[in-house]
Amino acid sequence: SAVRLTHIPTGIVVSCQNEKSQLQNKASAMVVLKAKLLARKKAEEAALKKDLKGDVQASWGDQMRNYVLNPYQVVKDLRTGHESGNP
């Protein structure tokens, strides 16, 4: 009464032999297979988010701009390197 399910696109194999009935084992195996597929999808999405996020770490106290008003007037954006003479 054991059941083995294989998800062909991903190659994930799940087997179940906890219950006496083959139908109950199949239902249990489907639940486990769905959980594994969901976990794999979430891991892929997390990896994609991590790649998109990059290594930017903004925290409290990080400086974005410099304002120099004396003896001349200039504003410099430290993230992009852009300078402007009009503060």
Side-chain angles (χ1 to χ4, degrees), residues 52-85:
L52 290 176
K53 185 177 179 182
D55 59 350
V56 176
Q57 293 182 357
S59 64
W60 183 259
D62 285 347
Q63 190 171 1
M64 292 184 198
R65 291 180 197 90
N66 279 341
Y67 294 92
V68 178
L69 303 175
N70 198 10
Y72 53 90
Q73 294 182 350
V74 68
V75 177
K76 183 174 183 180
D77 190 343
L78 298 176
R79 297 171 295 174
T80 61
H82 178 72
E83 291 186 18
S84 175

Side-chain angles (χ1 to χ4, degrees), residues 10-70:
T10 59
I12 297 176
V13 178
V14 176
S15 62
C16 183
Q17 56 184 6
N18 296 337
E19 307 293 332
K20 287 184 178 182
S21 170
Q22 190 173 11
L23 293 174
Q24 290 175 343
N25 281 333
K26 184 176 179 181
S28 299
M30 285 296 281
V31 170
V32 173
L33 181 62
K34 286 180 183 179
K36 285 190 176 188
L37 289 172
L38 182 63
R40 182 176 175 153
K41 183 177 178 182
K42 285 188 178 187
E44 289 174 358
E45 289 176 356
L48 179 63
K49 282 184 183 181
K50 185 178 179 183
D51 288 342
L52 290 176
K53 185 177 179 182
D55 59 350
V56 176
Q57 293 182 357
S59 64
W60 183 259
D62 285 347
Q63 190 171 1
M64 292 184 198
R65 291 180 197 90
N66 279 341
Y67 294 92
V68 178
L69 303 175
N70 198 10

